[in-house]
Amino acid sequence: MSVADDEIVLRAARPDLDDGRAFARYLDQAADGAFRAMLGRRVGEIIAEAFVVPGHDLSSEHVTVAERGDRVAGMVCAYGADAHAASSDAPLEAAAGRARWRMAAVVLVGRPLFRFIEDVPAGHHYLQSVAVDPDLRGAGIGARLVGSVEEQAVASGATHLALDVATDNERARALYERLGMTVWATSPRMWWFPGAGAHRMVKRLAGPGPG
């Protein structure tokens, strides 16, 4: 399926609940259901409530939306190392309410993986999630979104573009390799959760640093 470039418009996310609910759907899709596992059936509303608040990794300020006509077709969330270091978990915990205990339990069980994902070195611009509507996959929208993040990274002075991809997601890994990214590190193995794992993929942009 092909989609002409002029049919796709990229825009900054709006800090409202409509964009927040759409972001929650794409975020959980990109994470293979991990956020639903952490937050339960209210996952959409919880993430949407946090989305409108600035100052954390899942805030609207870090999200770019792809639209086709009057339809949202995909989203990407990305931020620099400084923004990540200053991020607070408070907005998501406040929105989660009682579900924060469920979230804490999932994070505890998967601590080695979460520690790996949370490590964003200085100079790295981190692509936290990208997702496109299933019926529009293969149309180049994902590449457009990733390209927009790379442009943001270069403009910010970042030396590397980084992201994490599930170790068993060969399709996504192949896409990122076509976009110039290579595997830089792999998360520690968890014998109690053998299906979970991630590759950190990195693309060098400019300046000194690990390549």
Side-chain angles (χ1 to χ4, degrees):
M1 179 180 185
S2 62
V3 176
D5 284 350
D6 58 4
E7 292 184 42
I8 301 299
V9 176
L10 302 187
R11 65 166 174 84
R14 294 183 289 264
D16 61 35
L17 292 176
D18 285 341
D19 268 7
R21 293 184 184 102
F23 174 64
R25 185 175 70 254
Y26 287 113
L27 179 67
D28 197 50
Q29 175 183 319
D32 294 323
F35 282 89
R36 182 169 297 276
M38 284 195 294
L39 298 171
R41 60 183 179 81
R42 289 191 58 248
V43 58
E45 290 303 312
I46 290 170
I47 292 173
E49 288 177 22
F51 178 83
V52 303
V53 181
H56 63 101
D57 289 346
L58 303 183
S59 168
S60 64
E61 62 197 318
H62 303 308
V63 177
T64 298
V65 179
E67 290 184 325
R68 184 186 185 196
D70 59 358
R71 170 188 175 185
V72 174
M75 289 189 176
V76 65
C77 177
Y79 38 77
D82 289 346
H84 176 64
S87 176
S88 169
D89 292 333
L92 185 61
E93 291 175 351
R98 293 181 180 178
R100 68 183 183 276
W101 304 113
R102 175 174 177 162
M103 180 172 63
V106 172
V107 171
L108 180 63
V109 170
R111 180 175 295 277
L113 177 59
F114 283 99
R115 288 182 65 182
F116 177 84
I117 291 171
E118 287 294 309
D119 181 21
V120 181
H124 285 215
H125 197 85
Y126 184 69
L127 196 161
Q128 192 266 353
S129 60
V130 59
V132 174
D133 277 357
D135 63 328
L136 290 174
R137 288 175 183 166
I141 299 172
R144 284 277 306 276
L145 288 167
V146 174
S148 74
V149 170
E150 183 170 342
E151 291 174 2
Q152 294 167 14
V154 170
S156 73
T159 59
H160 294 77
L161 177 64
L163 58 84
D164 293 311
V165 61
T167 52
D168 61 356
N169 193 339
E170 295 296 333
R171 178 175 178 173
R173 177 176 170 178
L175 167 64
Y176 299 133
E177 287 176 342
R178 288 197 299 272
L179 296 176
M181 307 193 76
T182 58
V183 173
W184 190 49
T186 301
S187 63
R189 299 180 67 178
M190 297 185 293
W191 60 265
W192 62 95
F193 197 0
H199 293 306
R200 173 65 53 92
M201 300 189 71
V202 170
K203 180 177 182 178
R204 182 163 181 153
L205 303 174

